Amino acid sequence: MELTKPATPSARADGGRGVPGSVTAAAVLGTLLEWYDFAIYASMAAVIGRLFFPSDDPTVSLLVTLASYAVGFVCRPLGAIVLGRLGDRAGRRSMLAITMVTVGVASVLIGLLPTHASAGMLAPTLLVALRMVQGLAAGAEWTGGATFLIEYARTGRRGLYSGVLQASTVAGFLMGTGVAMAVVRLMPEAAVDSWGWRIPFLLGGIVAAVGLFIRLKLDESPAYRELHTPHKPVHQQEVKPEDATPGDSGISSADADNGIGAATETRRNWLLVLGIVFGVTLYGYTATSFPAFLDAVGALSLADALTTNAIALLIEVPLIVAAGALSDRVGRKKVMGGALALYALATYPVFLLATSGTLAGALAGQVVFVVLFAAVSGPMAALFVELFPTQVRSTAFSSSYNIGAAVFGGTAPFVNTFLATQSGVSVAPAFYLVCGALVSLAFLSRVHDRYQEDLR
């Protein structure tokens, strides 16, 4: 298919009419599947612990299960680097097709695994291996989808589409939590342990098939097509700073200086994203693992914890889109920074509410928690995409985000549960989260907000 170059960067997506629905659907479905999968694993952690990591102490089983949850994040940085580079070299679409297939097939295979009772240590070994495979693909799924979608959006609308994509993460959480809740509530515990736990994982294969079908029909993003249009002028061609010397191959001294300066800025922004991700992912993954946490500390039964979490996530979805759209008007930093500052003040009271032992308290605490996270989450994808130039955007964005997500986000459910159960203080995780909010706020303050600028 012949590639054509859009007239201007600001109009390259759609001439102002909006991002094509198929592009939005492709990005949303992949993100939804990724977080649906992680949500069902977190929501069914107590059941998986009994079946794959049996122990005389239920808390030990849960902690080991949450540790295996974190294992999936260990592989994220590697997947981010390898697949992110593929997205920059071979195209966003090819990379997204690979991630969709990998996440979906691994989810189905988990649903078909034998348990410890029938296969012994082979069962948890296979489970952890599949979680690692999912982690490799997830390392580029959300970031790849965000890059693809936001490169289609015009300036002044990128925050809105960032919010749409981020809302799909919560929709995935909500769908996963809802399916897990239905399985736990509607089936006897013996049936859940026997075969019911497999249902949520097998359903993920259907989402993957639909998403792959849509993705294979898409063109590359306009920004990527523009970068790789043949016969571009010299000043538009990709220049590697380490290879560029003044007067060499027609590259002027000014061009070389600009290339070195751009590389320095990219490295700086890479570190800023890593720092921002610390607190952001702590809060994001805490929100989705609240059911297992509340069950572990004895605040609520698992069924009630799943119910309150589902209600809170449902409230959050439209607020994320609104926060993304608001950032198109006032800037990403103002929206995200205000929410992080409120988090630093409100997290401890929120945990007091959530662990009060009542349905009303648990629901109120989680609602406040996710309302603030909506303001952090909505503009986030747009902020990060805007920080990197097109030729390295997929690699830089994927690697910086996923290293932070692996180190801080993936371990959050385990650390929160460990702090609460080992200290005997159910609100102990609040202090860890407040620290994360302050660190993210400090790094965010150093970012140059490009919400009014065209993508580079």
Side-chain angles (χ1 to χ4, degrees):
M1 180 169 53
E2 182 178 354
L3 302 179
T4 58
K5 181 176 179 180
T8 64
S10 61
R12 62 177 170 237
D14 48 39
R17 293 185 298 275
V19 175
S22 58
V23 171
T24 304
V28 164
L29 281 174
T31 300
L32 186 145
L33 172 64
E34 177 188 352
W35 300 113
Y36 164 85
D37 175 76
F38 281 104
I40 58 176
Y41 194 90
S43 298
M44 302 290 288
V47 178
I48 293 172
R50 292 197 301 268
L51 298 178
F52 288 87
F53 307 99
S55 170
D56 293 334
D57 186 345
T59 300
V60 172
S61 291
L62 177 61
L63 287 173
V64 174
T65 304
L66 292 177
S68 68
Y69 172 89
V71 163
F73 287 81
V74 172
C75 295
R76 278 184 168 230
L78 177 60
I81 294 170
V82 174
L83 294 174
R85 188 171 179 81
L86 177 67
D88 284 327
R89 296 291 182 179
R92 320 302 197 208
R93 192 190 75 144
S94 299
M95 182 265 288
L96 288 174
I98 292 172
T99 59
M100 178 67 80
V101 170
T102 305
V103 173
V105 170
S107 181
V108 171
L109 290 177
I110 288 176
L112 298 174
L113 283 179
T115 62
H116 188 277
S118 59
M121 286 303 299
L122 178 62
T125 300
L126 290 174
L127 176 63
V128 171
L130 288 171
R131 293 290 301 145
M132 294 175 72
V133 170
Q134 285 183 317
L136 285 170
E141 174 53 55
W142 177 78
T143 53
T147 299
F148 187 69
L149 178 60
I150 293 170
E151 283 182 343
Y152 261 95
R154 60 181 172 83
T155 303
R157 300 279 283 180
R158 294 193 297 260
L160 171 64
Y161 285 100
S162 172
V164 170
L165 183 72
Q166 284 297 87
S168 71
T169 68
V170 182
F173 291 144
L174 181 61
M175 187 169 74
T177 303
V179 170
M181 179 179 66
V183 169
V184 171
R185 281 194 174 276
L186 299 179
M187 298 178 64
E189 183 174 308
V192 172
D193 287 359
S194 175
W195 58 272
W197 68 271
R198 302 179 185 276
I199 295 173
F201 292 100
L202 297 176
L203 289 177
I206 299 175
V207 179
V210 174
L212 179 63
F213 176 78
I214 294 175
R215 285 184 173 183
L216 291 177
K217 291 181 174 293
L218 297 177
D219 292 327
E220 285 294 349
S221 75
Y224 186 86
R225 295 202 308 268
E226 181 182 359
L227 181 69
H228 291 84
T229 298
H231 310 302
K232 290 186 297 183
V234 171
H235 73 276
Q236 290 185 344
Q237 294 175 0
E238 179 181 356
V239 178
K240 297 181 180 179
E242 64 270 23
D243 296 334
T245 56
D248 179 33
S249 300
I251 300 173
S252 68
S253 177
D255 287 334
D257 289 342
N258 288 339
I260 294 171
T264 300
E265 183 184 17
T266 295
R267 285 193 293 269
R268 176 180 180 273
N269 288 341
W270 191 96
L271 292 172
L272 290 176
V273 170
L274 183 65
I276 295 169
V277 165
F278 176 25
V280 170
T281 56
L282 282 187
Y283 281 96
Y285 290 103
T286 295
T288 60
S289 62
F290 254 121
F293 171 76
L294 294 176
D295 178 54
V297 301
L300 286 179
S301 68
L302 179 59
D304 286 341
L306 288 170
T307 300
T308 56
N309 191 245
I311 294 172
L313 293 178
L314 183 62
I315 293 171
E316 184 184 9
V317 170
L319 296 179
I320 293 178
V321 179
L326 178 63
S327 75
D328 282 327
R329 294 180 175 274
V330 303
R332 323 293 185 216
K333 289 176 63 174
K334 289 182 179 178
V335 178
M336 294 177 64
L340 286 169
L342 289 174
Y343 256 139
L345 298 174
T347 297
Y348 182 75
V350 162
F351 265 79
L352 285 176
L353 275 173
T355 60
S356 63
T358 67
L359 273 174
L363 177 60
Q366 290 179 85
V367 167
V368 173
F369 195 92
V370 300
V371 166
L372 291 177
F373 189 69
V376 174
S377 176
M380 182 174 67
L383 175 75
F384 293 164
V385 166
E386 290 161 352
L387 290 178
F388 300 111
T390 300
Q391 62 264 35
V392 297
R393 182 173 293 129
S394 180
T395 306
F397 178 21
S398 293
S399 59
S400 57
Y401 178 84
N402 282 287
I403 288 175
V407 175
F408 307 118
T411 58
F414 176 85
V415 172
N416 289 341
T417 303
F418 179 83
L419 290 174
T421 56
Q422 298 304 305
S423 69
V425 180
S426 58
V427 297
F431 302 105
Y432 180 44
L433 291 169
V434 168
C435 176
L438 294 175
V439 170
S440 289
L441 190 58
F443 278 87
L444 180 65
S445 69
R446 306 296 298 173
V447 166
H448 171 59
D449 199 338
R450 299 180 179 276
Y451 77 103
Q452 292 180 317
E453 302 175 15
D454 290 338
L455 293 179
R456 295 172 291 163

